[in-house]
Amino acid sequence: MPVFDYDQPERFVAGAVGQPGSRAFFLQARGEGRLTTVALEKLQVAALAGRLDEMLDEVLRLSGGTAPVPAMAPADLLDNGPLDQPIEEDFRVGTMSLAWDENSAQVIIEARELVPGEDDLGDDPDVFSDREVLRVRISPGAARAFTRRALDLVAAGRPPCPLCAQPLDAEGHICVRLNGYRGGELAS
């Protein structure tokens, strides 16, 4: 199984290329002269950031506030720079997992390659053995900085419809809450 392994990388960020409504989303890890770029969906970025924040909050809560987890992203770890060039996709992400390593006080993030027909894999654990994996170990502070950037990235997209929360296009959209009418057509 090809593994892109990063332990405390110089940089680990989520980013996007393109205009809202047609953006491509990526995770990038850089360290030791290597750069790994994996593609994923906007919803995967949002889910990763949300679950990561929840996990850090839970680690902090369970430790009674003694775990080395900052409540907010440290200002010196925030990274708002563009993705590193060239943006060359190593693989597309299918599944992701998170873990807290209590011994090293690090967050472990794994993103596994999407395989066509992934929904039909069954319960065979060997089916995952030949997939590419991006594995990143980062500090809790770097994890908070990652989530802040990722959540800002997701929020910077198209505004949501006030009725159904689906993204609005410049032309409007077919809102399920309006029984298939375009927003604004009811007033006519």
Side-chain angles (χ1 to χ4, degrees):
M1 161 179 64
V3 177
F4 301 94
D5 205 358
Y6 291 84
D7 192 354
Q8 297 297 325
E10 297 163 18
R11 186 175 199 220
F12 177 61
V13 296
V17 175
Q19 295 300 313
S22 60
R23 295 187 293 174
F25 290 83
F26 301 95
L27 297 179
Q28 272 192 341
R30 180 184 70 212
E32 299 176 357
R34 299 179 298 140
L35 176 65
T36 302
T37 304
V38 297
L40 69 171
E41 299 297 324
K42 177 181 178 179
L43 290 176
Q44 289 175 297
V45 173
L48 176 60
R51 289 294 300 139
L52 188 50
D53 251 354
E54 289 172 8
M55 183 182 77
L56 292 171
D57 290 345
E58 185 68 4
V59 166
L60 195 56
R61 186 187 71 74
L62 291 173
S63 74
T66 62
V69 176
M72 298 177 64
D76 62 324
L77 295 179
L78 292 176
D79 179 348
N80 294 315
L83 291 171
D84 290 332
Q85 299 293 326
I87 299 173
E88 295 175 354
E89 178 182 318
D90 289 293
F91 64 86
R92 177 158 288 281
V93 174
T95 59
M96 295 182 289
S97 61
L98 292 174
W100 171 255
D101 183 342
E102 193 171 329
N103 295 327
S104 65
Q106 289 182 324
V107 172
I108 303 167
I109 300 167
E110 283 192 1
R112 292 187 177 277
E113 179 184 18
L114 176 68
V115 173
E118 185 165 47
D119 292 342
D120 303 326
L121 295 178
D123 297 328
D124 182 4
D126 293 331
V127 79
F128 295 106
S129 63
D130 61 345
R131 295 186 183 198
E132 293 184 273
V133 176
L134 170 62
R135 181 178 304 129
V136 180
R137 291 174 191 81
I138 54 177
S139 71
R144 288 285 194 201
F146 173 87
T147 61
R148 168 107 179 254
R149 176 185 169 119
L151 292 173
D152 288 348
L153 175 70
V154 169
R158 296 173 289 169
C161 171
L163 299 175
C164 70
Q166 294 297 312
L168 290 174
D169 291 322
E171 309 83 43
H173 77 131
I174 308 262
C175 182
V176 296
R177 290 275 179 99
L178 295 175
N179 292 326
Y181 290 96
R182 286 195 176 273
E185 287 182 8
L186 291 178
S188 301

